[in-house]
Amino acid sequence: EAQVTQNPRYLITVTGKKLTVTCSQNMNHEYMSWYRQDPGLGLRQIYYSMNVEVTDKGDVPEGYKVSRKEKRNFPLILESPSPNQTSLYFCASSLFGPLNSPLHFGNGTRLTVT
Amino acid sequence: EDKVVQSPLSLVVHEGDTVTLNCSYEVTNFRSLLWYKQEKKAPTFLFMLTSSGIEKKSGRLSSILDKKELFSILNITATQTGDSAVYLCAVIDAGGTSYGKLTFGQGTILTVHP
């Protein structure tokens, strides 16, 4: 089944403890992206990747890192999480980017930073 | 900076009512507008609108785009409790890239009571 898989689904952590949220897609998509969703703010793009080893900042990249060493994986790294990064995170992928092909979303990761 | 504004932010109706959700936008290089439905997990795609005045329809849901006035509406007729969800509007900015940029609105929370 074609899908975008995020793990974990729920995560509670403490300020400053490094964490990684994984994202994997099995559709051979070139484009992958991370969003965070907060009440009243909709989905905001954190980082995106156009292909292996090619990444760029979205609208809210501060406090996050990403890597794209393989086409299928696009992990989101929080080196030193803070409470303002408590949010619902979505990974998404698209064959060639939203201009040409629809986005497929993962089921989300709800992160709480205390 | 691209901007997408949805209204109302929340709406409570009873089964059988008809609702209209609004989305206005400011985009530098508009390509398309999309509607998504989100029920406690990943957003699912409803419609993509590229041309003005052409209604897209799927069952009880329909949507139309006005590129002159820069807005779109999503209509749901004969609402059911299963229509309760967050409805997201997003626009694609073709920009200077080959992959495009997707900007989301805040979402409209629709609650349908039996």
Side-chain angles (χ1 to χ4, degrees):
Chain A
E1 181 190 346
Q3 59 186 359
V4 178
T5 304
Q6 290 179 234
N7 280 297
R9 293 293 310 277
Y10 301 92
L11 181 57
I12 301 174
T13 190
V14 296
T15 299
K17 186 175 181 183
K18 181 179 178 180
L19 66 91
T20 300
V21 184
T22 63
C23 174
S24 179
Q25 50 91 6
N26 62 1
M27 296 168 279
N28 203 36
H29 284 173
E30 291 191 356
Y31 181 94
M32 297 185 75
S33 182
W34 277 102
Y35 294 89
R36 61 177 288 173
Q37 186 174 27
D38 302 290
L41 296 176
L43 277 81
R44 293 178 293 166
Q45 191 178 50
I46 302 170
Y47 269 95
Y48 63 96
S49 169
M50 295 73 73
N51 215 323
V52 175
E53 301 292 2
V54 183
T55 64
D56 207 350
K57 296 177 181 178
D59 297 316
V60 288
E62 294 78 20
Y64 304 94
K65 283 174 57 176
V66 292
S67 69
R68 188 93 183 271
K69 293 184 171 52
E70 309 162 278
K71 200 169 191 178
R72 63 182 293 124
N73 294 323
F74 190 45
L76 179 70
I77 303 154
L78 285 73
E79 295 268 1
S80 182
S82 62
N84 65 12
Q85 292 178 297
T86 292
S87 187
L88 178 59
Y89 291 86
F90 287 101
C91 179
S93 72
S94 167
L95 187 56
F96 295 123
L99 190 61
N100 302 299
S101 45
L103 276 181
H104 298 254
F105 286 90
N107 279 329
T109 295
R110 187 165 291 281
L111 172 66
T112 303
V113 184
T114 61
Chain B
E1 184 182 328
D2 298 338
K3 193 173 175 184
V4 180
V5 177
Q6 293 184 243
S7 64
L9 293 183
S10 66
L11 190 55
V12 180
V13 300
H14 287 93
E15 271 192 322
D17 289 349
T18 293
V19 298
T20 298
L21 309 184
N22 303 292
C23 176
S24 63
Y25 62 89
E26 294 173 26
V27 177
T28 308
N29 288 291
F30 177 86
R31 174 61 69 90
S32 303
L33 183 144
L34 301 95
W35 284 98
Y36 288 88
K37 179 182 182 182
Q38 186 181 19
E39 299 171 89
K40 297 201 182 301
K41 47 180 181 166
T44 54
F45 172 77
L46 293 174
F47 297 113
M48 174 185 274
L49 302 149
T50 305
S51 302
S52 267
I54 299 175
E55 185 183 54
K56 292 280 183 92
K57 200 168 168 65
S58 176
R60 296 175 293 102
L61 277 68
S62 63
S63 183
I64 198 160
L65 175 67
D66 185 328
K67 289 168 74 174
K68 184 179 174 188
E69 300 297 330
L70 307 182
F71 78 91
S72 172
I73 60 172
L74 175 69
N75 277 321
I76 308 175
T77 59
T79 51
Q80 303 171 356
T81 55
D83 294 327
S84 295
V86 177
Y87 290 84
L88 296 165
C89 173
V91 293
I92 300 175
D93 186 336
T97 69
S98 61
Y99 42 85
K101 184 180 190 299
L102 198 60
T103 299
F104 285 86
Q106 321 96 301
T108 293
I109 303 170
L110 174 64
T111 304
V112 182
H113 287 310

